[in-house]
Amino acid sequence: MTEKTILLDHGSGGLASQELIGNLFLKYLDNPTLHSLEDSAVIDNQPGRLAFTTDSYVVDPIFFPGGDIGKLAVHGTINDLAMRGAKPICLSLGLILEEGLSLDELERVIISIAEACKEAGVPIVCGDTKVVPKGKGDKIFINTSGIGVVADGINISSKNAKAGDAVILSGTLGDHGITIMTRRAGISMEGDLKSDTRALHRLVAKLLAEMPEAIRTMRDPTRGGVATSLNEIAAASELAIELKDEDLPVRPTVRAACELLGLEPLYLANEGKCLVVVQGDMAAKALEIMRSTPEGAEAVIIGTMTQGKAGRVVINTPVGGSRVVTPLHGEPLPRIC
Amino acid sequence: MTEKTILLDHGSGGLASQELIGNLFLKYLDNPTLHSLEDSAVIDNQPGRLAFTTDSYVVDPIFFPGGDIGKLAVHGTINDLAMRGAKPICLSLGLILEEGLSLDELERVIISIAEACKEAGVPIVCGDTKVVPKGKGDKIFINTSGIGVVADGINISSKNAKAGDAVILSGTLGDHGITIMTRRAGISMEGDLKSDTRALHRLVAKLLAEMPEAIRTMRDPTRGGVATSLNEIAAASELAIELKDEDLPVRPTVRAACELLGLEPLYLANEGKCLVVVQGDMAAKALEIMRSTPEGAEAVIIGTMTQGKAGRVVINTPVGGSRVVTPLHGEPLPRIC
């Protein structure tokens, strides 16, 4: 028996496309808005400003410990909305499939997307599928775009950090990046390396409900890692950031794998973590709220915004030294997300 | 001198990504919302329901007579919003670049996107760029998603067509599809084969301003062509559609190329045309409005919704015969858009 695979026909817009939509996409992702299959979804509006974001996912391999490209695509776009203080309301799903992709693998990805959407409470309301000839793509690329609403009074932006603010990281560093990297390198580590892919909108909603004005900036440190996101925050706010080396949370297995491969966890991608810059005197309370959530249970204060040289991120080491943390230059690992 | 090309670094999220953003994307696409470079764009809301759509573009070749992949991506997503009666308000831009793509070619595409956005009055407000290794993509794939607003009282849906409604096509059939196909086949035709890629939101706005309740359904017949879109309308509205063969507008060069290649213009993709189903007694007025616009100057009434067999599309020929027009099955041309 031959395995069923994606054919060019599945991207034609004709009957084969319709079969894929009916037998696979609607089977798992169905909701009244998606079901209409019109050129656009039409959804009820909600009060507040609109947040809009887009991300394409090209991760290789498409399945990895802790997740897959589908979960990543749902979580990543939800998180990009949450980082502006928005409540995510819906997602789009754009697939670029390579001819010859196994329909079983595609089904696994669609099921995973459906689970992630259900768990997050954010539906896919519109979609598109293209098929490219074998050798012109790589199994599956996914674009998810998303719409959210930002309540009045919420104003989260990289520019808003102020000297004296605390920098909180919601959990450990580098889990996603090192998982993909060891997987691709064929390295098997003792222990529990797995991606941290996770939606963060509920954690953000809790913080904003308790202290809407104390939260200045949020970023999810994906490609480029915490180092790059902190540099962006420092540059946008024209402040410095000081970190304490001993405060940076890294799982022992992740640290061991990084040492083996000569990598710095600060530059590795995270897919279920956020940096929260919060008014200094509210930091303890913010930390408490974050730790009360499953996704923020390991949150720690990792640094402080200071009046130092604008745009500079510095780590102070336990022995009294310090070093500058530059943004990522060079690609330690292509196709991490 | 070696030509500058896209490197894996350009997708890292680090400095090379930032250079690409600063030197290319912001140079041509800049506006205050995009400029903030946050995880999401935040935009003012507008009264009405929201329309949301997504489309990926993988057309090969990326430059063709009448347009390129960038223009297609802007027009296509604007048109999908317009087909639900929405006023487009903003677009996202997701790029998947192949390592080795010439930076000159990328710049040409970005300039083309910028021109199409400016001409349409619809800005790109957020974006994302990924790079895949050489041989894992094909130069450039583009996802554009878009948000629009649907004014109160507007209710456009494939389900809404009624018996006696007229079916208007905004211009000639098959121009985009045959242009890509002859280009890929290396066939050079006498005359003026070129893509019809064009934004249709202004034509739609004029129609809806004059007769908001008479417009039942609109579709832009892209992949699968007019035949497939009409079948979708017939199925959704549970009516039949009767066309008159002599009313189908096809340019002589397009007809000649179709005959040469054994193709049926009804199945070829269009990228700047719409089907409008309008209340029968308003059809003459709708036609007049459409013809008063540059994009609808060649509009014609091509058929009627009837109480025939639900879902069936029939063409009546000049000699008194008739034939059923099925939806597209099989892929005459992959990567048409």
Side-chain angles (χ1 to χ4, degrees):
Chain A
M1 200 181 111
T2 54
E3 192 190 26
K4 287 195 175 167
T5 60
I6 285 293
L7 309 172
L8 287 172
D9 248 19
H10 286 115
S12 67
L15 287 179
S17 301
Q18 285 166 27
E19 282 166 21
L20 201 61
I21 292 168
N23 299 340
L24 197 53
F25 303 147
L26 288 183
K27 178 174 174 188
Y28 295 109
L29 302 172
D30 204 13
N31 60 65
T33 311
L34 183 65
H35 199 90
S36 76
L37 298 177
E38 304 266 4
D39 285 327
S40 299
V42 172
I43 48 184
D44 288 338
N45 208 338
Q46 299 186 21
R49 286 155 296 156
L50 296 177
F52 186 28
T53 191
T54 192
D55 243 326
S56 298
Y57 297 83
V58 298
V59 64
D60 170 35
I62 61 173
F63 300 103
F64 45 79
D68 57 68
I69 191 169
K71 280 210 165 36
L72 212 56
V74 172
H75 295 157
T77 293
I78 286 176
N79 290 347
D80 279 345
L81 293 171
M83 293 306 112
R84 291 301 298 276
K87 176 183 165 232
I89 54 176
C90 61
L91 301 178
S92 65
L93 178 66
L95 303 176
I96 299 177
L97 308 178
E98 185 191 13
E99 182 188 17
L101 170 68
S102 125
L103 273 176
D104 283 349
E105 288 197 309
L106 178 59
E107 185 168 25
R108 280 176 64 194
V109 172
I110 299 298
I111 290 173
S112 179
I113 289 172
E115 287 171 353
C117 285
K118 193 175 172 192
E119 156 75 21
V122 183
I124 304 279
V125 296
C126 57
D128 174 63
T129 303
K130 295 291 190 304
V131 179
V132 294
K134 201 160 177 60
K136 299 292 185 185
D138 196 10
K139 290 189 170 181
I140 178 169
F141 300 149
I142 300 181
N143 178 283
T144 40
S145 301
I147 302 179
V149 285
V150 184
D152 290 339
I154 302 293
N155 179 18
I156 308 291
S157 161
S158 309
K159 287 193 286 281
N160 295 355
K162 294 190 171 47
D165 287 352
V167 180
I168 306 179
L169 177 62
S170 68
T172 55
L173 277 173
D175 298 73
H176 178 77
I178 202 70
T179 301
I180 301 297
M181 177 149 249
T182 51
R183 196 83 182 174
R184 281 238 290 278
I187 296 169
S188 173
M189 299 291 296
E190 302 263 331
D192 59 345
L193 280 188
K194 64 174 185 175
S195 170
D196 57 344
T197 182
R198 185 156 206 170
L200 300 168
H201 59 311
R202 293 196 178 100
L203 177 155
V204 168
K206 276 202 168 186
L207 278 176
L208 292 177
E210 291 284 335
M211 45 179 76
E213 281 162 23
I215 306 296
R216 320 275 204 192
T217 297
M218 293 184 285
R219 280 264 164 164
D220 58 333
T222 57
R223 282 182 295 176
V226 166
T228 305
S229 291
L230 289 176
N231 270 276
E232 288 168 3
I233 293 171
S237 57
E238 300 181 3
L239 293 169
I241 299 178
E242 285 187 37
L243 309 175
K244 272 197 286 187
D245 201 15
E246 65 268 36
D247 294 336
L248 295 173
V250 183
R251 279 187 216 292
T253 344
V254 173
R255 190 175 296 284
C258 282
E259 281 167 8
L260 187 68
L261 294 167
L263 295 169
E264 164 61 77
L266 273 172
Y267 292 96
L268 292 178
N270 310 278
E271 294 290 343
K273 300 292 156 47
C274 58
L275 290 159
V276 177
V277 179
V278 57
Q279 192 178 306
D281 57 3
M282 299 293 274
K285 175 73 179 160
L287 191 64
E288 187 188 314
I289 294 169
M290 290 172 73
R291 285 184 173 168
S292 75
T293 67
E295 55 273 41
E298 299 178 285
V300 283
I301 297 176
I302 63 166
T304 313
M305 306 297 307
T306 71
Q307 290 288 9
K309 187 177 171 199
R312 182 139 79 171
V313 181
V314 172
I315 290 192
N316 298 316
T317 62
V319 294
S322 76
R323 62 187 169 91
V324 172
V325 179
T326 57
L328 176 68
H329 201 180
E331 176 51 282
L333 182 61
R335 302 181 63 191
I336 195 79
C337 60
Chain B
M1 201 179 113
T2 54
E3 192 188 26
K4 287 195 174 167
T5 61
I6 285 292
L7 309 171
L8 287 172
D9 249 19
H10 286 114
S12 66
L15 287 179
S17 301
Q18 286 167 26
E19 282 166 20
L20 201 60
I21 291 168
N23 298 341
L24 196 53
F25 303 148
L26 288 183
K27 178 173 174 189
Y28 295 109
L29 303 172
D30 204 13
N31 59 65
T33 311
L34 183 64
H35 198 90
S36 75
L37 297 177
E38 305 266 4
D39 285 326
S40 299
V42 172
I43 47 184
D44 288 337
N45 207 337
Q46 299 185 21
R49 287 155 296 155
L50 295 176
F52 186 29
T53 191
T54 192
D55 243 326
S56 298
Y57 296 83
V58 299
V59 64
D60 169 36
I62 60 174
F63 300 102
F64 45 80
D68 57 70
I69 190 170
K71 280 212 164 37
L72 212 56
V74 172
H75 295 157
T77 292
I78 286 176
N79 290 347
D80 279 346
L81 293 171
M83 293 307 112
R84 291 302 299 276
K87 177 184 163 224
I89 55 177
C90 61
L91 302 177
S92 65
L93 179 66
L95 302 176
I96 299 178
L97 308 178
E98 186 191 13
E99 182 189 17
L101 171 68
S102 125
L103 274 176
D104 282 348
E105 287 197 310
L106 178 59
E107 185 168 26
R108 279 176 65 193
V109 172
I110 299 299
I111 290 173
S112 178
I113 288 172
E115 286 171 352
C117 285
K118 191 172 174 197
E119 156 74 21
V122 183
I124 304 278
V125 296
C126 56
D128 174 62
T129 303
K130 294 292 188 304
V131 180
V132 294
K134 200 160 178 62
K136 300 293 184 184
D138 195 13
K139 291 190 170 182
I140 177 168
F141 300 149
I142 301 182
N143 178 284
T144 41
S145 301
I147 302 179
V149 285
V150 183
D152 290 339
I154 302 293
N155 179 20
I156 308 291
S157 161
S158 308
K159 285 194 287 284
N160 294 356
K162 293 191 174 47
D165 287 353
V167 180
I168 306 179
L169 176 63
S170 67
T172 54
L173 278 171
D175 299 74
H176 178 76
I178 202 71
T179 302
I180 301 297
M181 177 149 251
T182 50
R183 195 81 181 175
R184 283 238 289 280
I187 296 170
S188 171
M189 298 290 297
E190 301 264 330
D192 58 346
L193 281 188
K194 63 175 185 174
S195 170
D196 58 344
T197 182
R198 183 156 207 170
L200 300 168
H201 59 311
R202 294 196 178 101
L203 177 155
V204 168
K206 275 202 169 184
L207 278 176
L208 292 176
E210 292 284 336
M211 45 177 79
E213 282 162 24
I215 306 297
R216 322 275 202 191
T217 298
M218 293 184 285
R219 281 265 163 162
D220 58 333
T222 57
R223 283 182 294 176
V226 166
T228 304
S229 292
L230 289 177
N231 270 276
E232 288 168 4
I233 293 170
S237 58
E238 300 181 2
L239 292 170
I241 299 178
E242 286 187 37
L243 309 174
K244 273 196 284 184
D245 200 16
E246 64 267 36
D247 293 336
L248 295 173
V250 182
R251 277 186 218 292
T253 345
V254 172
R255 191 175 295 282
C258 282
E259 282 169 7
L260 188 67
L261 295 166
L263 295 168
E264 164 61 77
L266 272 173
Y267 292 96
L268 292 177
N270 310 279
E271 295 290 343
K273 300 291 156 48
C274 59
L275 289 160
V276 177
V277 178
V278 57
Q279 192 177 307
D281 57 2
M282 300 292 274
K285 175 74 178 161
L287 191 65
E288 186 188 313
I289 294 169
M290 290 172 72
R291 284 185 174 167
S292 75
T293 67
E295 55 273 43
E298 297 177 286
V300 284
I301 297 177
I302 62 166
T304 313
M305 305 298 305
T306 72
Q307 288 289 7
K309 189 178 170 195
R312 182 140 79 173
V313 181
V314 172
I315 292 193
N316 298 316
T317 61
V319 293
S322 76
R323 62 187 170 92
V324 173
V325 180
T326 57
L328 177 67
H329 202 180
E331 175 52 281
L333 181 62
R335 302 180 65 191
I336 194 79
C337 60

